[in-house]
Each structure stands twice: as C-alpha cells, then as structure tokens.
Amino acid sequence: MISFSSTRFLLGPILAGLALLMLAPCVVAFYYDSPDLEAFLISEAATAGAALLLVISGRRQSVHLRLRDMFLLTSMSWLMICVFGALPFILSHTVSSFTDAIFESVSAVTTTGSTVLTGLDTMPRDILLWRSMMQWLGGLGIIALGAAVLPFLSIGGMRLFNTESSDLSEKALPHTRRILNRLLQVYVFISILCAICYNLAGMTVFDAINHAMTTVSTGGFSTHDSSIAYFDSRLIELVAVVFMLLAAVPFMLYLPVMLGRRSGLFSDSQVQSMVAIYLTVSTVLAIWLILTGQLNMFSAFRESSFNVISIATTTGFASTDYVNWGSFAAMTFFFLTFVGGCSGSTSGGIKIFRFKIAAIMLRETLQRLLHPNAVFSRSMQGRPLTDEIVASVMAFSLVFATIVGIAAMLLTAAGNDVLTSFSAAATTMSNVGPGIGDVIGPTGNFASLTAESKWVLCVTMLLGRLEIFTMLLLLTPAFWRA
Amino acid sequence: MISFSSTRFLLGPILAGLALLMLAPCVVAFYYDSPDLEAFLISEAATAGAALLLVISGRRQSVHLRLRDMFLLTSMSWLMICVFGALPFILSHTVSSFTDAIFESVSAVTTTGSTVLTGLDTMPRDILLWRSMMQWLGGLGIIALGAAVLPFLSIGGMRLFNTESSDLSEKALPHTRRILNRLLQVYVFISILCAICYNLAGMTVFDAINHAMTTVSTGGFSTHDSSIAYFDSRLIELVAVVFMLLAAVPFMLYLPVMLGRRSGLFSDSQVQSMVAIYLTVSTVLAIWLILTGQLNMFSAFRESSFNVISIATTTGFASTDYVNWGSFAAMTFFFLTFVGGCSGSTSGGIKIFRFKIAAIMLRETLQRLLHPNAVFSRSMQGRPLTDEIVASVMAFSLVFATIVGIAAMLLTAAGNDVLTSFSAAATTMSNVGPGIGDVIGPTGNFASLTAESKWVLCVTMLLGRLEIFTMLLLLTPAFWRA
C-alpha cells in the first residue's frame, strides 16, 4: 500500500521551502513598488497555506517511506512546485493563459529554460527574479534527488552510483542528511561565486544574480530576450562557460574539496569523457565554420565552444543564432541536445556515463562476434558493471528515444512541422531549452505553439527531468496495486 | 588467420550465379535489338571471367570456413555483386557517372529501391529487367543469409533463430543445403505466383514479371516513374499488399506447407505482432486522413494501408505522394521506416522481433523498479531469451541509431538540409527506398544529391542490409589480427 499520509506530510516542508523562496520576489516587488506585489502576496499566502494544510493533514508518527512512496513523493513534489510556482505568472497577468503559466513554471523548475515570454528586457524585476529562482531551486532539487533518491531506486543505471549515502534506511538517515547539507552548501557557494564573477565581468548586480542562478542550475533563463548575446562580452561568455562546466560535474566530487581533501574532479572518468566530447565537438564545429568561411578563427572557436557547451550541458544560453550556420551545424546541435552532462549534476539529457556504458557494451558485442564463448568482465568508476546496470541503461536510452518519438508525433498532430516537432520534443526531454529551426531556435520562442503542444512539452520536460521512470512508473497499473 | 583462398574459391560460384542471371537481359536486349546489347555482353563476359578467375585462384582442397571467413565472405559477396551488377549501367550510359551506377546497383542488390534514374517509362527493357533481377537476387541472398549464416554469427540477437539449420559444421552441411534449396523453391514459387496475380490484375507480362521480382524482394523498384500509382488500380494495389506481407514473413515458415504439413504462419508471434503493428498504424493514419478531411473513408483506408505496408515492409512502392498529407503523416512514415518486417524475410529495418524483445525488456525494467530483488524469466518463440540475446539486440538498435545519426551528419556536411539528411540516412539504412521531404519523397528521386551524399548512402544501404555488424566488424583492427 502507498502511504499517502506520509507522502502528504513530507510534501509540506517542500512546499514551505517554496513559500520561503517566494518571499524574495515579494520583497523585490515591494521595494520597486511593482504592480505585481499583490500577485506575489496572494501566491505566497496560497503556497504557505497549502504547505501548512499538507503538514497538518499528514500523519507524523508513521513517516516510513517505502519504495513506492518515494516514487510518488518525487513526482508529486515536482508537480506541486510547478503548480504553485506558476501562480505569480497567472495572477500578475505576465502570461495570457493558464497553459502559458504552467509551461513557464515547468520549464523553470525542470531547468529546461524554454520560454513563452518576450519583452524580458522591460519586464518587472520580481517576475524575472522568480523565474531564475525557480530554476535555481529545480537545480538544487535534482542534485538532492541524484544523491539521495535515484541511485536507491536504481533507475536508468543510477544504481552504479549507489553508495552508502543513498541508503535511506533509518540507520543511514543522519548520514544522508549530512551529505545533502554539504551539497546544499556547495551549491550555494558556487552560485555566489558565479554571481560575483558575472558582476566583475560587467553584468549589473541584478543580472549577475539572475544569470548565476540559471547558470549553476544549467537552466538557461535570461533577463534579456537575446540571452547572453545581449552583453556581447567575451569575459561574460567565459564566466558562463566555466560555470556551466562546473554545474555539469557530479556535485559529490566537490565534497572532498570542502573538507580540505584532494578532489577526484580531474581523475573522474565521467568528467574526463565529458570534457573530451565537448572539446571534440567544439573543435569540429569551429573547423567547419572556418572552412565554410562563415567566421574567422577566433570567432569560430569562441562561438562554437560557447554554444556547444551551452547546449551539451543542457543550459541553453545563446550567444548567437547558430541556426544560421547551416544544416551541418543544426544537425550537430540537434544531436548535442541528447548528450547532457554528468550524473549527479544539474544537467539533463541522456548523460555521459550512459554513453560510456553504451560504448563499453558495443566493444564487447564486437568482440563477442569473434570470440563467442569468451567471458567478459566490465567495470566503471571502479565498480563492476553488472548486466542489470547495463540493461537498465539500455532500457533508459530506448525509452528516452521512444518518448521523444511519441512526443514528436503528437506535436505534428498538434500542427507543428516535422523539424520543429522533433527538435522541441528532444530539447524539452533533455531539459536544454532552445531547439533548431525558425520557430524554437535560439532566437525563437515557444509562445507561438498551440496549447496542446505546450502540454505535451510540459510532460516531456517533467519526464526528462525525473529520469523518466520515476513518473512513468506512476502510469502503470502495477504501481497502484497493493 | 583469415583464409583468403577459401573465400576466393567460394566467391567464384556466387559471381557465376550473377553471370547466369545476366544472360536474361542479354537475351532481352538481343530480342528487342536494344542498343544496350553490347554493354550487356561485355558485362556478361567480365562477370563470367572474374568468376572463373576466382575459382581457379582459390584453393579447393581446404574449403574450411571459420568464423572470420564467414564475415569476410558475406561482405565480399555483396560488394562484388554490387560492383559487377553496376557494369551494365555504366557501359550502356544509362547513368552519367560511376557514382550513379554504383548507387543504383547497391540500391538494387540491398533491396532498398532508392533510384537515381528518371524516365523509366521509356527506358530500354533490358535495363529495367536487370534492375528488377538484381533486387530479386538481393532478396534471395538475404533469405539465405538469414537462414544459414546470421544466426550462426549471433548478430543482433539472431542467435534466437539459431536452429540446427544454422550449424555450418561439416556434419550439418547437407541439411543446411537441403534447407537452402527448399527456401529457393519457395522464393521462386511465390515470385511466379505474384507475377501471375499482377498479370491477372491488369499489368502487362513485362510489368508483372518486374514488379513481382521487386515485390517479393521488398525492393520496390518499378518500371514506371510514378511507381504503383501509374496503374491506378485497386486490384493491383491489393496484389502488392498481399505479396509485400508474404515477403515480410520468415520464409522458414513456408517450408512445412511445402511438405504438406500445417504451417505455423498464423501462430507465429512475430507475424502476429507484425500484422498488429501494421494494422494499428494504418488505422490511426486513415482516421487522421478522414478527420482532417483529406480523403473519404474508402480512399483513406486504401491509401493508408497500402503506403504503411509498403514502407513498413521496406518495399517502398508509392501509390500516392504521402508527403502532401501533412507533418503528422510525414512523421509517421519517418518512424515506420525503422520498423521493418520479420527476421528471415526479405525485408530490412530493425525488424519486429527486436521491438518485441525491447518491449519485454521495458516491462521487466518497470517491474524491477518495484521489485528490485525479483528474478525474471523471459522467453520468446518458445526459446529462452538469454541476457546475451537481449544485450545483442540492444547493441544492434543502438548502433543502428548511431549510424543513422552519423550518416545524417555527413549528409548535412555534403550540403543537404536537415530533414532530407535524416530521412535519407534512415530510409537507406532500413533498405526502404523513398524518404520524406521534397527531395527524396515518394515522388522524388536521389539523382539530385551530390556524389559524396550518394557514397554515404551506399555505405548505409550495405550496412543496413547485412545487419550492420557483418560489415562493421571488418572495420575493426581486431578482425584482421591473427
């Protein structure tokens, strides 16, 4: 049986956290005498009230989470934050429809960064801040999930990262709590560092704070319609590149540094592969841009590396409209959409370790053709790569592709062209943000899509963010059977 | 060590078979006093000469094939037939370049059916016949490969079909030869039956023979630029549908019928799934066509079922330009491209049994999330579905998708737009024929692509036809090491 009561009780504090964060835009709205103040105050009251109600209606004494409860709790907490986070958008009339409010909110909390808003440059600061804060919260949530919940659920090969910290038994709880606390500290520290760097590089304090939050969460919302291109600053782009990369690394690797120990950051095989992949793609694309005479050498490497890292880390900032670089570049960015960063980071996508496992498996398959009876031993990150983990990774990739396909079909049925549909499905599923093509490219916008399209994309954003199976399982009858 | 000598010796008879078949267009060219007669006679002499040379230069006494030899023999025989089969196209000046000749030949032998030729309706009959015959030969080759070689090599989960017939040991050879003989008889019988039906349905004898050969091989070449649409006959479309389906079934299932025993045709789970998938997609698409007011009910079901079955069985006949049906239909046909028919048939693509295995695996993955310590047993076709088979199927699908991706990238680099590149890569890899979009859609043509594009597509056609790994393995250094 699923313990709805425990679930409710635990959702309370999560919603209370959201209410706490929402105080910030309230203060900003008050300070700038914004017309949105009322909208934020009502949202604040509603969120805080709902949090209180959940805590009261849930039972405290039996907070004993079983496997099913954790799936439900994870999905419900994300859904709830999306709904309550959308309140300010609706109440302030920033968007014209309920659909748009939910889309913007889901896009924020899942750190996707696709937007239906235009005119960001003249938008009230409270709204801009709220969008950025929701991305930041979404990033924090996914780090916590990756450290404490997903490895335990053994979703998509994440059991590979099942260390003692992911043991959620009564006994291990204090240890898990300690780890999560340290991760929070690291996340806050990197965010502050990023904001300071952006400010030193020339951003205003407000822009620096907002972009720091959306960089560290690999979300990619900006306070300007033209994104990072607005600043036209090499230095700001450099800061963005550094912090996007830092955010795409497993945050667990920062913990030894905090304790004054040597970090395994550069010796981590996943991080090494990530850097190698990003470097290779950036270089190939830069050479292509030079050879086709589109950019000079310096600009080619600058634009190529920024945009490759932005898309691959699933951040989605744009420094230029790469759709104009021709179909080879468009195809490159389409495939980059799927790559993602490391597990345990804020980035989405299929993620580097799954590509590594796929490569190991492919090599083994080729060897087996020549030596059908040989026995192979596999390991990764110093741990044995069991058949179960490999199967789980394969199932994940397969379902990922299948859902992108189904979503693309639904999007064509909703009236979009083939390329937009494909790209929109992929970019939301990977929580990247911009796609390819005229409509949803880096200078495009999701506003013009039909309401049906937006709802499809809300589903893919959530599925992608929660490693698919967390939500997918809730749709199976077996889950609800006693 | 690879036994080049045995390989050469065995390639001889295969090439001799090609020379034998080539006599047919020679006779036709002679009968119609065609200007191509000289071209065919030279090709005939070259092919027969090469066959003789191979047999003489190879050693007879040591015809002992080991695993590596079989990979090499398979790849080499396909490559050789493509090269010698292209001779008549070059020598007769049917095409203007070497590239086009090879492309047309590879497209024929791999039963893909993409063409660079236009003006088929007024083309000499010898050339038309030769194209159809090469497809027919390619279909026969793949049935033999699927029955006697692939299961033995355990490529892409084909070990599932590893019965006693795929044991190529000295002892089992007579049995294998008997099976192959019977398969040949079945193939010839179905081809003749198909030609008779086409003729009765209204085709001329020449058209009937040609279309029978390209239907049974799921190749899809036609003697008319507008393909099956030229005839505009419900009856002919019905004959095509029936024989495309018969060709997409494992040919092994016809053997019991030959011996007067009850066929397992309708109780075979792969066949059942295939029919269910085709029916579902046809129905959904027909309903879409009716709801969007594009066709009336009868036309919707007629056009939808014909084109769905044509693409899914990887035949590629067109009864209409489905690209005009809008982006939902285009996306549907894009995904259908990958489906394919049953293993052991002439059709290409990923094939039904792999989708079945993927579905079984997905269900297991979902169950495992709720019951992490449960033990699952899998079976298919009455045989246990081992981890090795599942892994092999997954690796196949992954590599299939990866190669489509790489090919698509190369095609964009060669100057094609994103949609054409993607679709061309997929349709050639699956050996379907037509793609989506304006350039290579059902009424389009591959002639306008650049030479580089055509070479990329030759590679994907061959890789796709030979279940990828047969050729891929030859590109690894490990294969050539002693």
Side-chain angles (χ1 to χ4, degrees), chain A residues 67-68 71 153-155 159 288 327-328 330-332 334-335 358 361-362 365-366 368-372 387-388 391 394-395 398-399 405 408-409 412-413 416-419 421-422 469 473 476 478-479, chain B residues 67-68 71 153-155 159 288 327-328 330-332 334-335 358 361-362 365-366 368-372 387-388 391 394-395 398-399 405 408-409 412-413 416-419 421-422 469 473 476 478-479:
Chain A
L67 213 46
R68 280 166 212 246
F71 283 103
L153 302 183
S154 66
I155 281 180
R159 185 170 277 209
W288 171 261
S327 56
F328 176 72
M331 194 66 102
T332 306
F334 177 73
F335 286 122
M361 201 194 154
L362 173 60
T365 303
L366 282 170
R368 199 186 289 278
L369 290 177
L370 286 176
H371 310 289
D387 281 349
E388 192 210 313
M394 290 294 119
L398 199 76
V399 172
M409 290 279 296
T412 53
N416 302 287
D417 67 84
V418 172
L419 198 61
S421 301
F422 231 134
F469 289 104
L473 196 62
T476 63
F479 181 83
Chain B
L67 212 45
R68 279 165 212 244
F71 283 103
L153 303 183
S154 66
I155 281 179
R159 185 167 277 212
W288 171 261
S327 55
F328 176 71
M331 193 65 103
T332 306
F334 176 74
F335 287 122
M361 201 194 154
L362 173 59
T365 304
L366 283 170
R368 200 186 289 279
L369 290 176
L370 287 176
H371 311 288
D387 281 350
E388 193 211 312
M394 290 294 117
L398 199 75
V399 172
M409 290 279 296
T412 53
N416 302 288
D417 67 84
V418 172
L419 199 61
S421 301
F422 230 132
F469 289 104
L473 196 63
T476 63
F479 181 82

Side-chain angles (χ1 to χ4, degrees), chain A residues 50-108:
Chain A
L52 202 68
L53 221 77
L54 280 169
V55 174
I56 293 169
S57 78
R59 262 180 306 150
R60 188 195 193 105
Q61 58 264 48
S62 70
V63 181
H64 178 69
L65 285 184
R66 286 187 307 176
L67 213 46
R68 280 166 212 246
D69 304 322
M70 284 169 58
F71 283 103
L72 189 67
L73 181 64
T74 303
S75 301
M76 284 309 296
S77 56
W78 251 262
L79 281 175
M80 232 180 38
I81 291 177
C82 289
V83 171
F84 282 94
L87 288 180
F89 297 129
I90 310 170
L91 298 173
S92 68
H93 303 290
T94 306
V95 294
S96 54
S97 70
F98 177 66
T99 302
D100 278 4
I102 292 288
F103 182 91
E104 194 75 9
S105 177
V106 171
S107 173

Side-chain angles (χ1 to χ4, degrees), chain B residues 113-115 117-118 120 220 222 224-230 303 306-307 310-311 316-325 329-330 333-334 337 423 427 432-446:
Chain B
S114 304
T115 186
L117 301 182
T118 44
L120 295 175
S222 176
H224 302 281
D225 283 339
S226 50
S227 189
I228 291 286
Y230 168 86
E303 300 285 12
F306 180 87
N307 288 288
S310 171
I311 297 298
F317 284 137
S319 75
T320 182
D321 189 358
Y322 50 72
V323 167
N324 293 333
W325 291 349
F333 281 108
F334 176 74
T337 301
S423 173
T427 198
V432 171
I436 57 173
D438 298 329
V439 185
I440 57 162
T443 57
N445 191 286
F446 285 72

Side-chain angles (χ1 to χ4, degrees), chain B residues 34-57:
Chain B
S34 162
D36 304 333
L37 180 57
E38 201 187 310
F40 272 104
L41 288 177
I42 298 174
S43 306
E44 175 66 52
T47 311
L52 202 65
L53 222 76
L54 279 169
V55 172
I56 293 170
S57 78

